[in-house]
Amino acid sequence: MIDFHCHLDLYADPHANAARCRDSGDYILSVTTSPRAWHGTLKLAIDAPRVRTALGFHPQLAHERHTELPLFEALVGEARYVGEIGLDGGPEHRAHLEVQTRCLQRILTACSRAGGRVMSIHSRGAADEVLDVLEQQPEAGISVLHWFSGTRKQLDRAVKLGCWFSVGPAMVRGLKGRQLLAAMPRNRVLTETDGPFGKGVDGPLMPGQVGPAVAACGATWQIDLTEAQDQLDSNLRTIGGLAIAEP
Ligand code: MN
């Protein structure tokens, strides 16, 4: 299974979880929310080659943590993957959209200078704002919009800009999420849990618990589960092999 956006370090027992990921054979992108979490979270995956760690700066923390931007800039050379980054325009966070935007611009500049990165991007309530910033900095790398919840029009704009998408069980539970999935190019879709924030029917999703998202891909693409997983695996190989500068 592929879980391209999971907060391994935010579960109750990160070490036990990391060990489970190592033994499961799942491919996990372990995202972080602050550059201060980078080294600790990287250590969780030290003997788990299929777990990749991403250097993050969560937009919901931007107004408190902008002093950590120099640390992000210092570490970006060590990280092939960046995330979670982005903007949050939801009601509780909209007031800080300006500082969030300045932070995101600086992060993308750092990624551009590093030769481009694969980035997992949050865009809740701010899809157009995120796309505006991405459009200004095409050298920043490959954007994977995680749990995209914008409009169909915003999705079409993201597709035109070359964005990828990671889709989870919580997203495809609703009709809107499934309609968005149907409009995504199938060679630019990956699965995710967003655990422990992403919830399944029995509570927080565990790393790699993406089954319902794979099933939704199969249903949408009108192919069976094996073929859907083959397509997702092929997408992961593609994004893993894209020509960005190696750290
Ligand atoms: Mn997340």
Side-chain angles (χ1 to χ4, degrees):
M1 296 288 190
I2 297 164
D3 185 351
F4 208 73
H5 185 112
C6 183
H7 297 267
L8 217 50
D9 61 344
L10 299 183
Y11 284 91
D13 189 344
H15 289 278
N17 248 320
R20 210 166 13 227
C21 292
R22 181 194 59 214
D23 300 337
S24 69
D26 292 339
Y27 290 86
I28 312 272
L29 186 66
S30 162
V31 296
T32 53
T33 55
S34 130
R36 281 171 66 185
W38 167 248
H39 282 119
T41 309
L42 191 62
K43 263 193 216 136
L44 282 177
I46 206 146
D47 54 356
R50 293 187 194 84
V51 178
R52 300 299 174 92
T53 307
L55 175 66
F57 188 98
H58 200 289
Q60 294 173 355
L61 306 175
H63 61 291
E64 294 166 345
R65 302 287 186 92
H66 53 90
T67 51
E68 291 180 33
L69 277 172
L71 182 59
F72 184 99
E73 290 164 338
L75 293 173
V76 72
E78 297 178 23
R80 177 181 169 90
Y81 296 91
V82 160
E84 174 167 9
I85 59 168
L87 299 176
D88 192 309
E92 321 89 87
H93 303 286
R94 183 150 273 281
H96 302 297
L97 208 45
E98 235 182 81
V99 61
Q100 291 181 40
T101 304
R102 280 200 305 275
C103 290
L104 183 59
Q105 285 166 333
R106 232 173 109 176
I107 287 164
L108 295 185
T109 300
C111 291
S112 302
R113 288 196 182 130
R117 291 291 180 258
V118 173
M119 305 176 289
S120 183
I121 301 182
H122 175 112
S123 58
R124 187 176 70 134
D128 276 320
E129 291 88 341
V130 164
L131 296 173
D132 288 343
V133 180
L134 292 176
E135 199 168 39
Q136 290 158 12
Q137 304 213 44
E139 308 295 316
I142 310 298
S143 305
V144 183
L145 300 181
H146 112 85
W147 199 336
F148 186 80
S149 58
T151 63
R152 173 61 198 270
K153 199 171 155 209
Q154 289 167 329
L155 181 86
D156 291 344
R157 184 178 169 212
V159 170
K160 274 204 199 98
L161 277 174
C163 295
W164 287 55
F165 303 90
S166 55
V167 170
M171 175 174 167
V172 297
R173 213 170 293 137
L175 177 63
K176 186 190 171 195
R178 293 197 299 274
Q179 286 172 336
L180 289 170
L181 169 61
M184 295 169 185
R186 71 171 76 173
N187 60 352
R188 280 194 247 152
V189 174
L190 297 164
T191 48
E192 67 164 40
T193 58
D194 198 15
F197 304 112
K199 305 268 194 294
V201 279
D202 319 314
L205 292 164
M206 296 305 284
Q209 245 182 15
V210 296
V214 180
C217 289
T220 303
W221 302 333
Q222 298 183 301
I223 55 181
D224 67 30
L225 274 183
T226 314
E227 291 171 308
Q229 191 60 57
D230 286 348
Q231 175 72 56
L232 294 161
D233 290 345
S234 155
N235 296 348
L236 184 71
R237 284 193 297 274
T238 302
I239 204 164
L242 285 172
I244 59 164
E246 288 297 330

